[in-house]
Amino acid sequence: MGVNNIRLNCTIFVRMKTPKLRFVTPDDMEAVLGLIQELADFEKEPEAVIVTVKDLQRDAFGDQPKFSCIVAEKEGVIVGMALFYPRYSTWKGPTLHLEDLIVTQPERGTGVGKALYTAFIAEGKKQGVERIEWVVLDWNKHAVEFYKKSGANVLTDWQTVQMDQTAMGRYLATENENI
Amino acid sequence: MGVNNIRLNCTIFVRMKTPKLRFVTPDDMEAVLGLIQELADFEKEPEAVIVTVKDLQRDAFGDQPKFSCIVAEKEGVIVGMALFYPRYSTWKGPTLHLEDLIVTQPERGTGVGKALYTAFIAEGKKQGVERIEWVVLDWNKHAVEFYKKSGANVLTDWQTVQMDQTAMGRYLATENENI
């Protein structure tokens, strides 16, 4: 009984320790897609994910990679990831955009998210960009406060606008294409 | 007098006609930076622009271009531009982001902005991306309405978060870099 207790404590210690962070490899993409799908399920949009493992492998490792990704590993299992890519500010020049920071549900609150966030900021510093950026849901007060405390600036007056392929086709069908 | 009037009418006709749209060349970058600076002046942030003509030339025409740009030309003068680059959605794959759509003040309301907007959407369709996106200031009701009418979706619950180089340095100085 006592021995079992000691073992249990050891297991908890291992789970809480700092994850190993490293850049993604093609073989990791199944786990990465698993994290993406887990978040989509959580946000009640399970059908929204149309990318495949092959898409992610091609897009991260082609001639002109479309994104970079740092994964967090614990005991050989990927438990989180930060996915980012370059953007461009016409005022500041190159910037880095954090598209997703996902930690698998059972590992939230164990420091994995913070470690990935720090790694992303370190990557921004290493690349020498003037600015890093991302978006947050305004009702996610915990995240908004965390970002503010870390020194980030939350802009409340900009709204994201998106147009999907169907709307693009509809718009163009009613307009003269001038180019 | 009558002849002068006729000449005046002709000039107005020329100014109102559809602009010529084309992709930017290195020689255009001085005019492009002029438009960027004009917008920054208008937004009362004249010092915010730190990019130079050489930066724009290098970043648009290097081995891995950081952005594309379509310019609108009238009588050989650049009067507007749409500047955009690829982004990546972990749900949808490659997308296209419109960073800036600028029309020089005297040419606003003459159809230049609409022509550039249409050209950007046509470029998104040509590249086969699942989605195009940009941001708008929430108090710019005219623009918000225009985008909605064109079939775009304005998301009101996402906020932009930015961290500049100084804040990045400060944050990292207090954190262990885990990568």
Side-chain angles (χ1 to χ4, degrees):
Chain A
M1 187 72 172
V3 173
N4 279 341
N5 273 348
I6 290 165
R7 278 196 186 146
L8 184 63
N9 287 340
C10 286
T11 309
I12 289 169
F13 175 73
V14 170
R15 280 179 61 88
M16 293 296 287
K17 77 172 186 180
T18 307
K20 181 186 167 195
L21 301 194
R22 58 174 176 77
F23 276 92
V24 80
T25 69
D27 287 346
D28 296 325
M29 286 306 184
E30 200 166 331
V32 166
L33 185 57
L35 289 169
I36 293 166
Q37 187 64 57
E38 184 184 329
L39 184 63
D41 294 346
F42 179 78
E43 293 182 1
K44 311 241 181 279
E45 294 206 57
E47 309 294 328
V49 181
I50 64 171
V51 297
T52 65
V53 171
K54 280 195 177 170
D55 290 338
L56 293 170
Q57 287 169 335
R58 180 198 59 218
D59 294 340
F61 298 99
D63 283 348
Q64 299 209 357
K66 293 180 168 57
F67 64 85
S68 300
C69 181
I70 295 170
V71 292
E73 205 178 50
K74 276 189 175 179
E75 298 168 58
V77 176
I78 290 175
V79 295
M81 64 98 162
L83 190 146
F84 50 94
Y85 47 76
R87 285 179 60 182
Y88 198 82
S89 159
T90 47
W91 290 6
K92 305 299 178 193
T95 70
L96 212 53
H97 183 90
L98 178 63
E99 178 71 17
D100 267 347
L101 197 162
I102 308 177
V103 177
T104 189
Q105 186 68 42
E107 291 289 342
R108 296 200 192 154
T110 66
V112 174
K114 179 81 176 287
L116 286 164
Y117 183 67
T118 304
F120 167 65
I121 296 173
E123 183 62 22
K125 193 188 175 196
K126 189 179 151 200
Q127 292 192 19
V129 296
E130 284 284 332
R131 189 171 77 196
I132 54 174
E133 53 206 322
W134 56 97
V135 292
V136 65
L137 282 163
D138 58 2
W139 50 257
N140 193 348
K141 302 295 178 197
H142 177 75
V144 168
E145 278 315 302
F146 172 79
Y147 293 142
K148 282 184 182 170
K149 269 189 192 164
S150 75
N153 191 16
V154 179
L155 312 179
T156 54
D157 52 354
W158 287 99
Q159 292 185 334
T160 299
V161 191
Q162 298 179 336
M163 189 184 269
D164 65 18
Q165 226 174 32
T166 309
M168 288 159 68
R170 261 192 221 126
Y171 175 86
L172 291 172
T174 60
E175 292 293 324
N176 290 322
E177 297 186 31
N178 292 307
I179 197 164
Chain B
M1 187 73 170
V3 173
N4 279 341
N5 273 348
I6 289 165
R7 278 194 185 148
L8 184 64
N9 286 340
C10 286
T11 308
I12 288 170
F13 175 73
V14 170
R15 279 178 62 88
M16 293 296 288
K17 77 170 185 179
T18 307
K20 182 188 166 193
L21 300 193
R22 59 174 175 77
F23 276 93
V24 79
T25 69
D27 288 345
D28 296 325
M29 286 307 183
E30 199 166 331
V32 167
L33 185 58
L35 290 169
I36 293 168
Q37 188 64 56
E38 184 183 330
L39 185 62
D41 294 346
F42 179 77
E43 293 182 2
K44 311 242 182 276
E45 296 206 57
E47 308 295 328
V49 180
I50 64 171
V51 298
T52 65
V53 170
K54 279 196 177 168
D55 290 338
L56 292 171
Q57 286 169 335
R58 180 198 61 219
D59 294 340
F61 297 99
D63 283 348
Q64 299 210 357
K66 293 179 167 58
F67 64 85
S68 301
C69 182
I70 295 170
V71 292
E73 205 178 50
K74 277 190 175 179
E75 298 168 61
V77 176
I78 290 176
V79 295
M81 65 98 162
L83 189 146
F84 51 94
Y85 47 75
R87 285 180 60 183
Y88 197 82
S89 159
T90 47
W91 290 7
K92 304 301 180 195
T95 69
L96 213 53
H97 183 90
L98 179 63
E99 179 71 18
D100 268 346
L101 197 163
I102 308 177
V103 177
T104 190
Q105 187 68 42
E107 290 289 343
R108 295 199 194 156
T110 66
V112 174
K114 178 82 176 286
L116 285 165
Y117 182 67
T118 303
F120 167 65
I121 297 173
E123 183 62 21
K125 193 188 176 197
K126 188 179 153 200
Q127 292 192 20
V129 296
E130 283 284 331
R131 189 170 77 197
I132 54 175
E133 52 206 324
W134 57 96
V135 292
V136 66
L137 283 161
D138 58 2
W139 49 257
N140 193 346
K141 301 296 178 197
H142 177 74
V144 169
E145 279 315 303
F146 172 78
Y147 293 142
K148 281 183 182 170
K149 268 190 194 165
S150 75
N153 192 15
V154 179
L155 311 179
T156 55
D157 51 355
W158 287 98
Q159 292 184 334
T160 298
V161 191
Q162 297 179 336
M163 189 183 268
D164 65 19
Q165 228 175 30
T166 309
M168 287 160 66
R170 260 192 220 126
Y171 175 86
L172 290 172
T174 61
E175 292 293 325
N176 291 320
E177 297 185 30
N178 292 306
I179 197 162

